[in-house]
Amino acid sequence: MTTQFKLIFTTCKDEAEARMLARALVEKKLAACVNILPNVGAIYMWEGEIAEAIEAKLLIKTKSDKMNDVFLTIKAMHSYEVPEIQVIDVATGNLAYFNWMDEVLN
């Protein structure tokens, strides 16, 4: 089952890249809002080695019909070879916020 509203997560190498990507998504009307969480620690496996980094996490608020364009924009602008893109269906929430998202993203 899919819902109309989506929350997409990605990470960026730093806050500057996160701000650039967030601004592009909002300017293109692909996201109503993007929250940036700076200084998020990450421990992960890359090319057979355990790596650590301090990244910026993005919480991208969008709609289902914008999702593929959000993916393409992330992939085109991102510095990572394999950027994180994870999607959560938004099942419920503040109707006034969803109405605002509809207005902004049309």
Side-chain angles (χ1 to χ4, degrees):
M1 178 179 126
T2 61
T3 63
Q4 179 180 5
F5 299 100
K6 305 293 183 186
L7 180 60
I8 300 176
F9 294 95
T10 192
T11 51
C12 291
K13 68 178 180 177
D14 56 31
E15 191 173 350
E17 181 178 72
R19 287 186 177 283
M20 177 191 65
L21 180 55
R23 182 168 290 279
L25 291 168
V26 172
E27 285 176 352
K28 293 178 179 187
K29 293 191 174 215
L30 298 178
C33 174
V34 180
N35 295 111
I36 300 170
L37 307 175
N39 301 317
V40 175
I43 299 173
Y44 56 96
M45 187 66 70
W46 183 251
E47 297 180 344
E49 302 286 329
I50 295 177
E52 292 191 37
I54 300 297
E55 301 173 306
K57 175 76 86 180
L58 279 70
L59 286 67
I60 303 162
K61 288 83 169 251
T62 193
K63 294 172 65 174
S64 297
D65 63 348
K66 307 281 185 178
M67 201 167 49
N68 287 334
D69 288 332
V70 171
F71 290 2
L72 291 172
T73 301
I74 291 171
K75 290 176 182 178
M77 297 183 70
H78 212 288
S79 63
Y80 289 172
E81 184 179 331
V82 182
E84 169 194 7
I85 302 174
Q86 297 182 18
V87 180
I88 295 177
D89 288 338
V90 178
T92 190
N94 181 356
L95 184 57
Y97 188 83
F98 297 142
N99 289 338
W100 169 78
M101 286 181 66
D102 269 335
E103 183 181 315
V104 168
L105 294 174
N106 284 329

